[in-house]
Amino acid sequence: MKTIDELLAEGVAGKRVFVRADLNVPLADGVITDDGRIRAVQPTIAKLAEAGARVIVASHLGRPKGAPDPAFSLAPAAARLGELLGRDVAFAADTVGPAAKETVAGLADGGVAVIENLRFNAGETSKDDAERGAFADQLAELADLYVGDGFGAVHRKHASVFDLPARLPHAAGYLIATEIGVLKKLTDEVKRPYVVVLGGAKVSDKLAVIDQLLGKADRILIGGGMAYTFLKAQGHEVGISLLQEDQIPAVTEYLERAAKNGVELVVPVDVLVSTEFPDLKGKTPADYDTVDADKIPADKEGLDIGPKTRELYASKIADAATVFWNGPVGVFEHPDYAGGTRAVAQALVDSDAFTVVGGGDSAAAVRTLGFDENAFGHISTGGGASLEYLEGKTLPGIAALED
């Protein structure tokens, strides 16, 4: 895989360089609430611009249905990128149409432009190779070189991620190189004890990675909505908590395998429960309580790990040499249920381990809760991509960059 430094050594001055970034940032009323992904790709874009390249930045945002939708415009991301770079960033209001062509043609050496959301074109995500390839052909006309640096999208077989690199000389950006290096420390070069914390809503999203980790991790700590399927598999009632009944057989088998393999698979011992969500301010303890995990009332829902579980999980992380965390362990967006996720983040900070926060909601949580990003070994920009790498899958966007 060619690195961006090798590409720079060959010379990029005056050349049009297409950077597939991941600017898929959360927006609230058009305002970016977490710019972590933009900051992550900034070094690649800045280095190319400083070397005199004409940089064309492209990304997806959200899930528009193959047509323009103002709610998913990349205009706010382009503006924020300009602020971070300290230079003007042009914005094209389409992907491969007149605006994109005119904007790219107007770039001077060292100039930077962002083209509109790639998913406004149905060819970007099409499952039809010909349709996807046709869109990649149009994108290729805009550029001379390709740099892949959108790690959050490398597990997608999309036109700009998979098909476009085959049409242009290509290299991996700094972010992708860093992400792959970190993931190797979680697979091929693991320092032990190796502790994995898995949260999030659905156990079905994590089954494949649990399957792999049962042969690699020393401890797996379970939280979030997925924990209630584990508790149910152990024979406990879970009230009206999130539950995937169809996953109980698989979870039961994983619990048995963990015991057989000597892997500690740890589930909550107490949980924060409520009869109603999310507005609990002013409610009585009867509405808002902490109970043992095997005593969840029939009319209540588990929404966070309890204080005993927080202490237990912190103790399981304390002596770790490597920790990977993917998925909040409670509904952290609501202050009443942020305590468990905060406790896990603090345990990572307090440990001497190499700590990796696995993207997505976990990355958003540590920022929302006010943690210093530098207190963690690495905060990934791609939760789904990280999980699929750990599952042992071939990532289309990485394969496309390999020669």
Side-chain angles (χ1 to χ4, degrees), residues 214 230 233-234 250-260 263 265 267:
L214 284 173
F230 278 84
Q234 290 180 327
V251 168
T252 301
E253 194 265 330
Y254 286 170
L255 288 165
E256 294 170 352
R257 273 179 55 198
K260 182 178 179 180
V263 176
L265 206 163
V267 299

Side-chain angles (χ1 to χ4, degrees), residues 50-127:
E50 290 166 6
R54 303 178 183 190
V55 187
I56 305 141
V57 183
S59 176
H60 69 287
L61 192 152
R63 296 190 177 184
K65 298 179 179 179
D69 183 338
F72 297 105
S73 175
L74 279 173
R80 180 57 181 149
L81 177 61
E83 292 172 355
L84 292 169
L85 291 172
R87 65 171 71 213
D88 290 336
V89 170
F91 179 69
D94 59 25
T95 56
V96 292
K101 292 174 182 176
E102 182 179 347
T103 300
V104 171
L107 285 175
D109 291 0
V112 179
V114 174
I115 63 174
E116 187 55 284
N117 191 336
L118 292 164
R119 291 186 183 174
F120 285 1
N121 190 304
E124 169 67 2
T125 60
S126 176
K127 296 186 183 303

Side-chain angles (χ1 to χ4, degrees), residues 231-305:
L231 291 169
K232 186 71 170 179
Q234 290 180 327
H236 307 308
E237 292 303 320
V238 296
I240 57 172
S241 305
L242 186 63
L243 175 65
Q244 289 186 286
E245 292 265 10
D246 61 327
Q247 303 299 330
I248 289 176
V251 168
T252 301
E253 194 265 330
Y254 286 170
L255 288 165
E256 294 170 352
R257 273 179 55 198
K260 182 178 179 180
N261 293 351
V263 176
E264 288 187 70
L265 206 163
V266 189
V267 299
V269 295
D270 63 342
V271 295
L272 210 60
V273 298
S274 173
T275 54
E276 134 181 45
F277 172 80
D279 186 15
L280 292 168
K281 296 298 184 183
K283 298 294 181 181
T284 67
D287 297 307
Y288 179 73
D289 207 354
T290 301
V291 299
D292 288 344
D294 60 353
K295 294 182 175 63
I296 298 175
D299 64 339
K300 294 194 177 183
E301 175 182 13
L303 295 166
D304 194 11
I305 59 172

Side-chain angles (χ1 to χ4, degrees), residues 28 33 35 47 57 87 97 117 148 161 183 201 209 227 286 333 354 356 394:
T33 59
D35 67 356
K47 195 74 170 181
V57 183
R87 65 171 71 213
N117 191 336
V161 175
L183 288 169
V209 75
E333 297 91 343
F354 174 64
V356 179
T394 297

Side-chain angles (χ1 to χ4, degrees), residues 322-357:
T322 304
V323 183
F324 173 67
W325 172 30
N326 183 283
V329 296
V331 189
F332 79 92
E333 297 91 343
H334 192 284
D336 287 338
Y337 309 117
T341 299
R342 184 186 299 279
V344 169
Q346 189 63 55
L348 265 67
V349 170
D350 292 342
S351 78
D352 293 325
F354 174 64
T355 56
V356 179
V357 180

Side-chain angles (χ1 to χ4, degrees), residues 101-265:
K101 292 174 182 176
E102 182 179 347
T103 300
V104 171
L107 285 175
D109 291 0
V112 179
V114 174
I115 63 174
E116 187 55 284
N117 191 336
L118 292 164
R119 291 186 183 174
F120 285 1
N121 190 304
E124 169 67 2
T125 60
S126 176
K127 296 186 183 303
D128 182 83
D129 292 348
E131 184 180 10
R132 217 175 50 246
F135 183 49
D137 287 338
Q138 291 178 290
L139 291 172
E141 292 176 5
L142 298 175
D144 305 305
L145 303 170
Y146 176 95
V147 172
D149 216 27
F151 181 73
V154 294
H155 58 313
R156 306 295 188 190
K157 192 176 182 181
H158 291 169
S160 66
V161 175
F162 179 75
D163 302 274
L164 184 55
R167 289 157 168 78
L168 295 170
H170 50 266
Y174 293 121
L175 175 60
I176 278 186
T178 297
E179 295 273 14
I180 295 301
V182 166
L183 288 169
K184 286 182 178 178
K185 292 183 179 181
L186 301 178
T187 51
D188 303 329
E189 307 160 9
V190 182
K191 293 184 178 179
R192 299 183 180 280
Y194 179 19
V195 178
V196 176
V197 184
L198 295 176
K202 295 181 178 180
V203 69
S204 56
D205 293 340
K206 303 291 197 301
L207 285 180
V209 75
I210 294 172
D211 183 69
Q212 289 292 315
L213 290 169
L214 284 173
K216 295 178 180 178
D218 297 298
R219 300 172 197 141
I220 302 174
L221 316 181
I222 303 294
M226 61 185 287
Y228 303 101
T229 302
F230 278 84
L231 291 169
K232 186 71 170 179
Q234 290 180 327
H236 307 308
E237 292 303 320
V238 296
I240 57 172
S241 305
L242 186 63
L243 175 65
Q244 289 186 286
E245 292 265 10
D246 61 327
Q247 303 299 330
I248 289 176
V251 168
T252 301
E253 194 265 330
Y254 286 170
L255 288 165
E256 294 170 352
R257 273 179 55 198
K260 182 178 179 180
N261 293 351
V263 176
E264 288 187 70
L265 206 163

